[in-house]
Amino acid sequence: EAKHSGKNQCALFNNTIGQKLEQKLILKNRIEQALVNHEFILHYQPQYNLHSNQLIGLEALIRWEHDDYCYSPNEFIPFAEKHGFIQLIDEYVLEMACQQIAEWQEQGLEVPRVAVNISSQQINSRKLVDIINRQLERCQFSGNLIELEITEYSLVKSLEKNHKETNWLNELKQKGIQIAIDDFGTGYSSLSYLQHMPIDRLKIDQSFVRNLNTETETHSIISSIISLGHNVNATVLAEGIETEQQKDILKQLGCDDGQGYLMNMPISAKQVTEILSEGKTLLAAS
Ligand code: C2E
Ligand code: MG
Ligand code: MG
Ligand code: MG
């Protein structure tokens, strides 16, 4: 535990001219090794309804533990995306998340929806639908327990590339899978794509939330995102809530849900088990 990520320790992922190919091979090899050695683990950040304070979900966030160092996703996900290794990672993450849900259910815990981040290269691929079908069959729980978080930017790029084809989304929706747009407000200038898609949730990017204390223009922007979300029948969740003041403003503006350091940091599966177990005793007692 208590491993910290520091900028100085990730020389592996820095690009130096002339070393790119070698670096790419080394990293690919390391990622494959890490998959075999189970060095990737998931932490979970709880998501709450801002009005009832009820736990409504858990966002799965990947960590790479190697020797005694823990890499944050920002240190390797962009690299893996760029060089085409991200599908290996995303498949592994989906598998781990499903397995964890099944485990919690076996322990008799009431499991909220688990949100998994999907990178741009994988979306719209037949493979994603196949992987999810396979996992649901293997683990035997309802698709409602899974949410896919896709960034606004990836979603729009993928729609452009695939002639606005959204069959894959509809197919996932039929299984009960929830779809969230991550980092909303940072990826694209046109909103027209929203009308063609079965979106369940908009996640307001944390850059807006960060400016809430000081800038009143930010209130208007957030307020517009909330109306927009509600108008397309999506729930709106704010990311990166760090202060009571931010939470209060978001509540006043009508934001439904939130996650952030104010409520919880991303925590280990074991810590989630403890939280869910407390819920169980509370339920049993009432
Ligand atoms: P994201 O999906 O937008 O996740 C939110 C990030 O904000 C997480 O960083 C989380 O730890 C951090 N965060 C949460 N609350 C707060 C807060 O109150 N203040 C601040 N300043 N930060 C907060 P993390 O875990 O480092 O992940 C970074 C990004 O890496 C994620 O952004 C996501 O795009 C990507 N990522 C993480 N896990 C996976 C994964 O399993 N697969 C893929 N493809 N991408 C992942
Ligand atoms: Mg996310
Ligand atoms: Mg985000
Ligand atoms: Mg992000």
Side-chain angles (χ1 to χ4, degrees):
E1 275 298 289
K3 295 162 188 169
H4 283 284
S5 44
K7 292 262 185 302
N8 55 336
Q9 297 189 53
C10 56
L12 177 62
F13 308 111
N14 294 337
N15 280 332
T16 1
I17 298 163
Q19 296 182 328
K20 280 193 182 161
L21 180 65
E22 197 190 340
Q23 212 178 31
K24 181 178 156 177
L25 291 174
I26 293 172
L27 183 64
K28 178 156 193 269
N29 195 280
R30 286 239 192 153
I31 286 176
E32 284 164 355
Q33 278 305 310
L35 289 167
V36 172
N37 299 338
H38 303 286
E39 291 173 4
F40 292 112
I41 59 159
L42 293 182
H43 279 186
Y44 298 87
Q45 186 172 40
Q47 302 174 322
Y48 296 93
N49 180 293
L50 292 177
H51 305 272
S52 67
N53 294 321
Q54 203 190 342
L55 177 71
I56 55 135
L58 296 163
E59 178 175 5
L61 293 158
I62 195 172
R63 303 288 179 262
W64 181 356
E65 296 193 317
H66 183 73
D67 292 337
D68 37 6
Y69 184 67
C70 183
Y71 294 106
S72 90
N74 290 328
E75 293 172 87
F76 62 91
I77 292 281
F79 198 95
E81 282 175 344
K82 191 166 154 210
H83 296 294
F85 318 137
I86 190 65
Q87 294 205 9
L88 289 176
I89 296 176
D90 279 353
E91 178 166 0
Y92 189 78
V93 167
L94 265 170
E95 214 172 282
M96 272 199 290
C98 290
Q99 201 164 316
Q100 185 63 70
I101 293 173
E103 237 170 75
W104 281 326
Q105 285 192 332
E106 274 162 28
Q107 294 167 24
L109 301 171
E110 199 179 322
V111 190
R113 183 179 41 70
V114 174
V116 174
N117 291 282
I118 297 294
S119 278
S120 52
Q121 292 185 19
Q122 190 163 76
I123 59 168
N124 208 7
S125 74
R126 194 58 242 163
K127 221 174 147 206
L128 177 62
V129 179
D130 288 346
I131 291 167
I132 287 175
N133 284 340
R134 203 173 338 118
Q135 290 303 319
L136 289 182
E137 246 165 63
R138 190 174 68 94
C139 294
Q140 299 289 323
F141 52 75
S142 150
N144 289 315
L145 283 177
I146 303 283
E147 181 163 280
L148 302 182
E149 291 197 5
I150 305 170
T151 62
E152 185 184 25
Y153 180 79
S154 314
L155 199 50
V156 171
K157 282 291 158 222
S158 147
L159 287 174
E160 279 172 1
K161 201 169 71 193
N162 297 286
H163 314 287
K164 298 196 175 149
E165 197 263 303
T166 55
N167 288 345
W168 61 286
L169 272 178
N170 292 320
E171 206 169 320
L172 291 172
K173 296 261 13 151
Q174 275 162 22
K175 302 269 172 185
I177 306 288
Q178 307 283 295
I179 309 289
I181 304 186
D182 207 350
D183 301 349
F184 189 80
T186 60
Y188 202 61
S189 50
S190 158
L191 301 171
S192 65
Y193 71 94
L194 277 177
Q195 52 186 331
H196 306 296
M197 273 185 305
I199 293 305
D200 300 289
R201 187 182 309 279
L202 293 186
K203 295 189 71 176
I204 302 175
D205 190 66
Q206 51 190 52
S207 59
F208 297 108
V209 176
R210 199 174 306 133
N211 293 329
L212 259 183
N213 303 329
T214 47
E215 290 172 26
T216 43
E217 292 91 343
T218 310
H219 293 211
S220 317
I221 294 173
I222 289 192
S223 192
S224 309
I225 296 178
I226 293 169
S227 310
L228 178 69
H230 290 168
N231 285 336
V232 296
N233 287 324
T235 306
V236 181
L237 180 146
E239 304 191 275
I241 302 176
E242 294 183 353
T243 67
E244 285 290 350
Q245 194 193 0
Q246 290 165 345
K247 184 183 168 190
D248 285 345
I249 298 170
L250 285 161
K251 270 168 74 174
Q252 279 166 29
L253 295 176
C255 187
D256 306 294
D257 306 321
Q259 66 185 88
Y261 296 166
L262 175 68
M263 291 84 103
N264 302 92
M265 305 271 291
I267 54 178
S268 68
K270 194 163 158 259
Q271 287 171 296
V272 174
T273 306
E274 281 161 21
I275 289 181
L276 296 179
S277 305
E278 278 165 29
K280 196 166 79 170
T281 44
L282 285 180
L283 282 178
S286 63

